[in-house]
Amino acid sequence: MTGGGPGDSTNTMIRYIYVTGFKKDMFGMAAAQSMVFCFIMLLIAVIQFKITDRKDG
């Protein structure tokens, strides 16, 4: 969408984790980043479920 931007400015979080783990051989850091990303996604999902929760009544 942005034509790649300058350098790595348009990387996604998942691609950044992949590059950290497999290209830079920093598996521990990639695992930690994955856990933080998982927590963020879980938090967003919980917030979304609370906002869209509709009770039948």
Side-chain angles (χ1 to χ4, degrees):
M1 287 187 330
T2 63
D8 290 331
S9 64
T10 56
N11 269 347
T12 63
M13 185 68 179
I14 298 299
R15 185 169 185 283
Y16 183 74
I17 292 170
Y18 168 78
V19 168
T20 301
F22 293 107
K23 302 280 183 177
K24 296 180 180 177
D25 291 329
M26 298 173 65
F27 298 109
M29 178 67 78
Q33 291 169 347
S34 296
M35 294 303 292
V36 169
F37 184 68
C38 182
F39 177 74
I40 291 169
M41 290 293 103
L42 182 63
L43 185 65
I44 290 171
V46 167
I47 291 170
Q48 180 181 3
F49 280 125
K50 295 228 182 236
I51 289 173
T52 60
D53 186 29
R54 295 192 178 115
K55 301 204 187 291
D56 293 329

